[in-house]
Amino acid sequence: MSQQSAVPKPSLQGVRTKVRKGQVKAQAKHEPAAFRDQLYKHLETVPENDFEGFSAKLVQAGGTLEYLKYADALFEILLVGGLIQPGGSYLDDGAPMSPFSIFNARNPPDLEELKKYVDVFNKLNRRCMRLWSRVIYCACGVNHEYRFKYLQKPFEEQSLPTLLQYIGRWSSEQRDKLAMTLGLLLSQGLVTAACLQSLTKDHLVKNDQSINILALVFSAYLTDQSIDHLAATLKRGNIKDLLLFFPPNKRDAKVLDAFFREKNLPTVADWYTKKQYAIAKDAIMKELKEVVERSDDSESIISAIQSKLEEQRLPEAELIQSIWQGLMASVDWSARPDQIEGLALREVGKFAPVLVAFCKGPKTQVALINIVQVYCYDDTRVMKAFPQILKVLYNKDCVSDQAIIYWHQKGSKPQGRQHFLKATEGLVKEQEESEEDEDEE
């Protein structure tokens, strides 16, 4: 047996073993420097500031160079002008800076010029997408052009986050160029806001570095898009709280508001304030519903609201709106249709002490009337009960006669205005006559 096992097995001579392409690529050397040198040969032939020429050469080079394999190297070259080694410094191998990069833009940075650079990125992504979709179509008979963005993913998930974490190593002009370019890339949908997460790292938020970069990003973004568009972009990128871009000792809403107003970005400050108000209002409404389910004692409800206000202050009009909506949401409206109006009046009377506690000024009282008006307009079950609800609010000292008269004359909301004004004519006339009697006395 031992002799038989020692006999070598027969083999075929001169036969080539077929290796899959994927295996060959996996075993191939990763040589970003060689990739850079080959890319330079394409770019060096283009005159300076010939953006159409650079676009054409980059697309042409994409036919022979492995852009996907060397995506990090590609975007390092196009953004900062050379290969970056761990730590953020340039690879020191004697190579010149790239003939094309964002850092080649003139100083001080000009937004209109940077838009031309960003247009090159846009064309590169779009044309390479078409090139690869044709390859897929030939291979499987299905055109995936509308989905296949093979360069966007490594760009926003690897290249940009890596470069942003080294933002402190660039000069102030280079940082400004990169930040403004990022704002334009975001506004055109070439990347998502998820890449901004890199700026929340501890070594970047200190000394206001991250928040200053973010201000430039927002400023560039808002030259082409609205604040609502920016808000939607941040939400999709899972950017939940702008305070995380501030140093820990400055994470305060007032500091944020003052910072963005100083940077001539009042729309960002206003948007953030409204967002915080919305969060606080939701918290109050949720808390009210839970407290009312446990107990309908007015003192307990008032105490719960005051506790929430210690966490986040709200303007009086916003506060009274959240209180009304929270209280009405706690009501069981499952009664018969003919009993709904009576139920509404009883519940308003029961919760009146809570409304009185937070409805002290004339503006807040008018705001409460408008809130009730819109509520009755939206819920047609209680629409006819509006005059009676207003009467209950007056009798319980939630609103004054002056507030009712002002609302009727010029302070009402457009929702159902004519209907509600006509329905309350009798009540308003009664209040006006009451005022006249008081004046005569």
Side-chain angles (χ1 to χ4, degrees), residues 163-225:
L163 291 174
L164 287 175
Q165 72 177 344
Y166 299 138
I167 198 79
R169 288 188 168 272
W170 318 123
S171 67
S172 60
E173 291 85 1
Q174 290 172 330
R175 285 197 297 269
D176 292 354
K177 291 174 187 177
L178 190 57
M180 293 164 69
T181 298
L182 180 53
L184 295 173
L185 290 169
L186 286 167
S187 70
Q188 296 183 26
L190 295 176
V191 295
T192 68
C195 61
L196 297 175
Q197 297 283 2
S198 291
L199 292 175
T200 61
K201 293 183 177 180
D202 292 342
H203 72 283
L204 294 177
V205 298
K206 65 180 181 180
N207 301 324
D208 295 336
Q209 193 170 89
S210 290
I211 195 58
N212 281 311
I213 293 295
L214 196 67
L216 286 170
V217 171
F218 288 173
S219 181
Y221 191 107
L222 292 172
T223 58
D224 294 327
Q225 303 291 354

Side-chain angles (χ1 to χ4, degrees), residues 57 80 95 103 121 178 184 244 254 282 290 296 335 366 368 375 384 389-390 393 402 417 428:
K57 283 296 181 180
V80 301
F103 283 1
F121 282 86
L178 190 57
L184 295 173
L244 296 178
K254 291 182 180 179
D282 288 343
E290 294 176 356
D296 58 2
V366 174
L368 175 59
Y375 181 83
K384 293 181 180 179
I389 293 175
L390 194 54
L393 292 174
Q402 294 93 340
R417 174 178 289 155
V428 173

Side-chain angles (χ1 to χ4, degrees), residues 386-392 394-395 401 404-405 407-408 422-433:
F386 176 74
Q388 290 85 355
I389 293 175
L390 194 54
K391 182 70 173 179
V392 170
Y394 171 73
N395 290 336
D401 52 356
I404 295 174
I405 294 170
W407 168 83
H408 193 269
K422 186 171 182 61
T424 54
E425 283 180 350
L427 176 61
V428 173
K429 186 177 180 180
E430 179 183 326
Q431 301 301 322
E432 290 175 337
E433 291 175 351

Side-chain angles (χ1 to χ4, degrees), residues 333 337 340-342 344-345 372-390 407 414-424:
W333 297 101
I340 290 294
E341 292 184 17
L345 295 176
V372 178
Q373 174 193 335
V374 174
Y375 181 83
C376 291
Y377 176 80
D378 292 337
D379 191 343
T380 55
R381 296 175 302 175
V382 295
M383 193 171 188
K384 293 181 180 179
F386 176 74
Q388 290 85 355
I389 293 175
L390 194 54
W407 168 83
Q415 291 91 328
R417 174 178 289 155
Q418 295 305 317
H419 169 81
F420 292 120
L421 293 182
K422 186 171 182 61
T424 54

Side-chain angles (χ1 to χ4, degrees), residues 270-281:
D270 292 339
W271 163 75
Y272 183 83
T273 300
K274 290 179 181 177
K275 181 183 175 184
Q276 296 308 111
Y277 286 167
I279 294 172
K281 286 167 67 176

Side-chain angles (χ1 to χ4, degrees), residues 19 21 68 81-82 84 141 190 210 301 317 388 407 441:
V19 182
K21 287 185 178 180
L68 183 58
I84 302 298
L190 295 176
S210 290
I301 298 173
Q388 290 85 355
W407 168 83
E441 292 177 3

Side-chain angles (χ1 to χ4, degrees), residues 201-397:
K201 293 183 177 180
D202 292 342
H203 72 283
L204 294 177
V205 298
K206 65 180 181 180
N207 301 324
D208 295 336
Q209 193 170 89
S210 290
I211 195 58
N212 281 311
I213 293 295
L214 196 67
L216 286 170
V217 171
F218 288 173
S219 181
Y221 191 107
L222 292 172
T223 58
D224 294 327
Q225 303 291 354
S226 66
I227 185 62
D228 292 334
H229 195 280
L230 173 60
T233 297
L234 293 175
K235 184 177 181 179
R236 286 193 298 270
N238 203 30
I239 305 298
K240 297 180 179 179
D241 191 357
L242 298 186
L243 290 177
L244 296 178
F245 295 87
F246 285 85
N249 63 335
K250 293 184 178 181
R251 289 174 183 171
D252 182 86
K254 291 182 180 179
V255 174
L256 183 147
D257 186 89
F259 173 82
F260 282 111
R261 293 189 188 283
E262 182 184 348
K263 294 295 183 179
N264 199 28
L265 291 168
T267 54
V268 177
D270 292 339
W271 163 75
Y272 183 83
T273 300
K274 290 179 181 177
K275 181 183 175 184
Q276 296 308 111
Y277 286 167
I279 294 172
K281 286 167 67 176
D282 288 343
I284 288 175
M285 288 189 286
K286 183 179 178 182
E287 182 72 13
L288 281 176
K289 188 175 181 181
E290 294 176 356
V291 172
V292 173
E293 287 177 355
R294 295 194 302 266
S295 168
D296 58 2
D297 176 59
S298 298
E299 291 299 325
S300 300
I301 298 173
I302 293 171
S303 177
I305 296 171
Q306 291 173 337
S307 177
K308 283 295 179 183
L309 288 177
E310 291 177 1
E311 301 174 9
Q312 172 68 54
R313 301 299 300 178
L314 276 174
E316 290 184 356
E318 300 280 352
L319 173 61
I320 203 66
Q321 182 184 32
S322 62
I323 293 174
W324 173 268
Q325 291 175 344
L327 293 175
M328 292 301 103
S330 68
V331 177
D332 181 6
W333 297 101
S334 60
R336 295 202 316 265
D338 59 332
Q339 297 178 337
I340 290 294
E341 292 184 17
L343 174 62
L345 295 176
R346 287 196 302 273
E347 293 297 326
V348 172
K350 182 176 70 174
F351 292 132
V354 178
L355 296 171
V356 170
F358 298 96
C359 198
K360 299 175 181 178
K363 289 184 178 180
T364 311
Q365 293 176 9
V366 174
L368 175 59
I369 300 173
N370 277 321
I371 291 164
V372 178
Q373 174 193 335
V374 174
Y375 181 83
C376 291
Y377 176 80
D378 292 337
D379 191 343
T380 55
R381 296 175 302 175
V382 295
M383 193 171 188
K384 293 181 180 179
F386 176 74
Q388 290 85 355
I389 293 175
L390 194 54
K391 182 70 173 179
V392 170
L393 292 174
Y394 171 73
N395 290 336
K396 296 288 186 178
D397 295 326

